[in-house]
Amino acid sequence: MSTAVHLAAGGHGFLSPTGVEIAFLLVGIATFAAAVVTVTTKQLVHAALWLVVALGGLAVEYLLLTAEFIAWVQVLIYVGSVVVLLLFGLMLTKAPIGRSPDADSGNRPAALAVAVASAAALVWVVVDAFRATWIDLDKGVQGSTAVSGTSLFRYWVLPFEALSVLLLAALVGAIVLSRKKVEEKR
Protein backbone atom coordinates (compact mmCIF):
# COMPACT_ATOMS: atom_id res chain seq x y z
CA MET A 1 0.00 0.00 0.00
CA SER A 2 1.39 3.44 -0.89
CA THR A 3 2.20 6.03 1.75
CA ALA A 4 -0.60 8.41 0.66
CA VAL A 5 -3.24 5.66 0.81
CA HIS A 6 -1.88 4.52 4.19
CA LEU A 7 -2.05 8.07 5.58
CA ALA A 8 -5.56 8.57 4.18
CA ALA A 9 -6.71 5.34 5.77
CA GLY A 10 -5.29 6.50 9.11
CA GLY A 11 -7.38 9.66 9.13
CA HIS A 12 -4.55 12.12 8.51
CA GLY A 13 -3.04 13.11 5.23
CA PHE A 14 -3.42 15.03 2.05
CA LEU A 15 -6.25 12.91 0.70
CA SER A 16 -8.52 13.34 3.72
CA PRO A 17 -8.40 16.95 4.88
CA THR A 18 -10.44 17.99 7.87
CA GLY A 19 -12.63 21.08 8.02
CA VAL A 20 -9.93 22.97 9.91
CA GLU A 21 -7.36 22.16 7.22
CA ILE A 22 -9.72 23.30 4.47
CA ALA A 23 -10.49 26.53 6.37
CA PHE A 24 -6.74 27.02 6.95
CA LEU A 25 -6.10 26.70 3.21
CA LEU A 26 -8.93 29.06 2.23
CA VAL A 27 -7.92 31.71 4.76
CA GLY A 28 -4.31 31.31 3.66
CA ILE A 29 -5.26 31.95 0.03
CA ALA A 30 -7.29 35.03 1.02
CA THR A 31 -4.41 36.30 3.18
CA PHE A 32 -1.95 35.76 0.34
CA ALA A 33 -4.23 37.64 -2.05
CA ALA A 34 -4.50 40.56 0.40
CA ALA A 35 -0.71 40.61 0.78
CA VAL A 36 -0.26 40.71 -2.99
CA VAL A 37 -2.72 43.60 -3.28
CA THR A 38 -0.88 45.34 -0.42
CA VAL A 39 2.41 45.42 -2.30
CA THR A 40 0.98 46.06 -5.77
CA THR A 41 -1.41 48.94 -5.09
CA LYS A 42 -0.23 52.45 -5.92
CA GLN A 43 -2.27 54.13 -3.18
CA LEU A 44 -0.55 54.20 0.20
CA VAL A 45 -3.70 54.33 2.30
CA HIS A 46 -5.20 51.41 0.38
CA ALA A 47 -1.95 49.49 0.94
CA ALA A 48 -2.28 50.10 4.68
CA LEU A 49 -5.90 48.91 4.68
CA TRP A 50 -5.03 45.77 2.69
CA LEU A 51 -2.23 45.20 5.21
CA VAL A 52 -4.92 45.13 7.91
CA VAL A 53 -6.72 42.40 5.96
CA ALA A 54 -3.50 40.38 5.52
CA LEU A 55 -2.55 40.67 9.19
CA GLY A 56 -6.11 39.82 10.23
CA GLY A 57 -5.93 36.72 8.04
CA LEU A 58 -2.77 35.70 9.88
CA ALA A 59 -4.61 36.10 13.17
CA VAL A 60 -7.34 33.78 11.88
CA GLU A 61 -4.66 31.27 10.87
CA TYR A 62 -3.29 31.36 14.43
CA LEU A 63 -6.79 30.73 15.76
CA LEU A 64 -7.12 27.73 13.47
CA LEU A 65 -3.83 26.44 14.86
CA THR A 66 -5.28 26.76 18.41
CA ALA A 67 -2.85 29.55 19.32
CA GLU A 68 -5.39 31.98 20.74
CA PHE A 69 -2.86 34.08 22.65
CA ILE A 70 -0.69 34.62 19.58
CA ALA A 71 -3.80 35.46 17.54
CA TRP A 72 -4.80 38.20 20.00
CA VAL A 73 -1.23 39.49 20.09
CA GLN A 74 -1.35 39.62 16.29
CA VAL A 75 -4.58 41.63 16.37
CA LEU A 76 -3.61 43.98 19.19
CA ILE A 77 0.01 44.68 18.25
CA TYR A 78 0.15 44.38 14.49
CA VAL A 79 -3.36 45.22 13.32
CA GLY A 80 -3.94 47.71 16.11
CA SER A 81 -0.61 49.36 16.75
CA VAL A 82 1.58 48.94 13.69
CA VAL A 83 -1.08 49.83 11.13
CA VAL A 84 -2.25 52.81 13.21
CA LEU A 85 1.39 53.93 13.48
CA LEU A 86 1.76 53.53 9.72
CA LEU A 87 -1.37 55.60 9.07
CA PHE A 88 -0.21 58.29 11.53
CA GLY A 89 3.12 58.36 9.74
CA LEU A 90 1.33 58.82 6.41
CA MET A 91 -0.81 61.61 7.82
CA LEU A 92 2.02 63.41 9.60
CA THR A 93 4.32 63.37 6.57
CA LYS A 94 1.45 64.50 4.35
CA ALA A 95 2.02 61.62 1.95
CA PRO A 96 -0.20 61.64 -1.14
CA ILE A 97 -3.56 60.02 -0.48
CA GLY A 98 -4.50 59.20 -4.08
CA ARG A 99 -2.51 57.47 -6.81
CA SER A 100 1.17 58.23 -6.53
CA PRO A 101 3.66 57.73 -9.36
CA ASP A 102 6.42 57.83 -6.73
CA ALA A 103 5.10 54.58 -5.23
CA ASP A 104 6.56 52.59 -8.14
CA SER A 105 10.35 52.48 -8.46
CA GLY A 106 10.45 50.40 -11.64
CA ASN A 107 12.22 47.48 -9.96
CA ARG A 108 9.28 45.10 -10.20
CA PRO A 109 11.13 42.29 -12.03
CA ALA A 110 13.97 42.26 -9.51
CA ALA A 111 11.52 42.48 -6.60
CA LEU A 112 9.45 39.64 -8.04
CA ALA A 113 12.55 37.46 -8.48
CA VAL A 114 13.63 38.10 -4.87
CA ALA A 115 10.10 37.45 -3.59
CA VAL A 116 9.75 34.17 -5.49
CA ALA A 117 13.19 32.98 -4.37
CA SER A 118 12.45 33.91 -0.74
CA ALA A 119 9.04 32.22 -0.83
CA ALA A 120 10.51 29.06 -2.38
CA ALA A 121 13.25 28.93 0.25
CA LEU A 122 10.75 29.48 3.07
CA VAL A 123 8.36 26.83 1.77
CA TRP A 124 11.21 24.37 1.33
CA VAL A 125 12.51 24.95 4.87
CA VAL A 126 9.06 24.65 6.47
CA VAL A 127 8.08 21.55 4.49
CA ASP A 128 11.42 19.90 5.23
CA ALA A 129 11.20 20.70 8.95
CA PHE A 130 7.57 19.65 9.46
CA ARG A 131 7.14 16.94 6.83
CA ALA A 132 5.84 14.25 9.19
CA THR A 133 4.66 16.44 12.06
CA TRP A 134 1.00 16.60 12.99
CA ILE A 135 -0.50 18.94 15.55
CA ASP A 136 -2.69 17.17 18.06
CA LEU A 137 -5.61 19.57 18.39
CA ASP A 138 -7.03 17.71 21.37
CA LYS A 139 -4.15 18.67 23.68
CA GLY A 140 -4.48 22.43 23.31
CA VAL A 141 -1.00 22.97 24.80
CA GLN A 142 1.03 24.34 21.88
CA GLY A 143 -0.69 27.70 21.61
CA SER A 144 -1.55 28.14 25.26
CA THR A 145 -0.81 31.36 27.07
CA ALA A 146 1.62 29.73 29.50
CA VAL A 147 3.78 28.12 26.82
CA SER A 148 3.68 31.17 24.53
CA GLY A 149 4.38 33.61 27.36
CA THR A 150 7.32 31.55 28.61
CA SER A 151 8.78 31.41 25.12
CA LEU A 152 8.23 35.13 24.47
CA PHE A 153 9.66 36.41 27.73
CA ARG A 154 12.52 33.93 27.94
CA TYR A 155 13.86 33.95 24.38
CA TRP A 156 12.31 36.88 22.48
CA VAL A 157 12.49 39.85 24.87
CA LEU A 158 15.36 41.62 23.10
CA PRO A 159 13.81 41.46 19.58
CA PHE A 160 10.50 42.84 20.92
CA GLU A 161 12.30 45.68 22.69
CA ALA A 162 14.30 46.45 19.54
CA LEU A 163 11.07 46.52 17.52
CA SER A 164 9.44 48.92 19.97
CA VAL A 165 12.44 51.28 19.74
CA LEU A 166 12.31 51.07 15.93
CA LEU A 167 8.58 51.91 15.88
CA LEU A 168 9.13 54.80 18.29
CA ALA A 169 11.94 56.13 16.08
CA ALA A 170 9.64 55.93 13.04
CA LEU A 171 6.94 57.93 14.83
CA VAL A 172 9.42 60.56 16.06
CA GLY A 173 10.87 60.79 12.54
CA ALA A 174 7.40 61.37 11.08
CA ILE A 175 6.76 64.13 13.62
CA VAL A 176 10.12 65.77 12.84
CA LEU A 177 9.43 65.66 9.10
CA SER A 178 5.99 67.19 9.54
CA ARG A 179 7.32 69.96 11.82
CA LYS A 180 9.98 71.03 9.28
CA LYS A 181 7.33 71.52 6.59
CA VAL A 182 5.20 73.64 8.93
CA GLU A 183 8.20 75.82 9.90
CA GLU A 184 9.20 76.28 6.24
CA LYS A 185 5.75 77.76 5.45
CA ARG A 186 6.12 80.45 8.14
Side-chain angles (χ1 to χ4, degrees):
M1 192 176 342
S2 71
T3 306
V5 173
H6 178 67
L7 287 173
H12 290 289
F14 183 72
L15 296 177
S16 63
T18 63
V20 173
E21 291 169 343
I22 292 170
F24 187 86
L25 180 66
L26 293 176
V27 171
I29 290 169
T31 302
F32 178 74
V36 168
V37 173
T38 299
V39 297
T40 57
T41 187
K42 292 185 190 238
Q43 296 184 6
L44 294 175
V45 175
H46 289 182
L49 295 175
W50 280 108
L51 181 64
V52 168
V53 174
L55 293 175
L58 284 177
V60 172
E61 296 284 39
Y62 287 132
L63 282 175
L64 291 171
L65 291 173
T66 67
E68 294 88 7
F69 176 70
I70 302 297
W72 283 114
V73 167
Q74 175 79 18
V75 169
L76 293 174
I77 292 177
Y78 288 104
V79 175
S81 304
V82 173
V83 173
V84 167
L85 180 67
L86 179 70
L87 289 173
F88 275 136
L90 288 173
M91 288 186 297
L92 287 173
T93 58
K94 296 186 174 113
I97 300 297
R99 288 190 167 273
S100 173
D102 297 334
D104 193 5
S105 68
N107 293 327
R108 286 185 187 253
L112 182 62
V114 169
V116 168
S118 299
L122 182 63
V123 167
W124 179 73
V125 166
V126 169
V127 167
D128 187 50
F130 299 106
R131 182 167 304 190
T133 304
W134 295 96
I135 297 173
D136 186 10
L137 298 176
D138 294 330
K139 284 185 185 176
V141 175
Q142 281 130 354
S144 68
T145 308
V147 173
S148 300
T150 301
S151 175
L152 281 174
F153 293 115
R154 183 172 294 160
Y155 304 111
W156 297 101
V157 170
L158 189 59
F160 275 114
E161 290 299 322
L163 180 64
S164 67
V165 170
L166 179 70
L167 291 173
L168 179 64
L171 183 60
V172 169
I175 292 171
V176 167
L177 287 174
S178 70
R179 299 289 275 163
K180 285 182 181 178
K181 290 179 181 179
V182 169
E183 291 174 4
E184 288 173 1
K185 289 181 180 179
R186 289 181 184 183

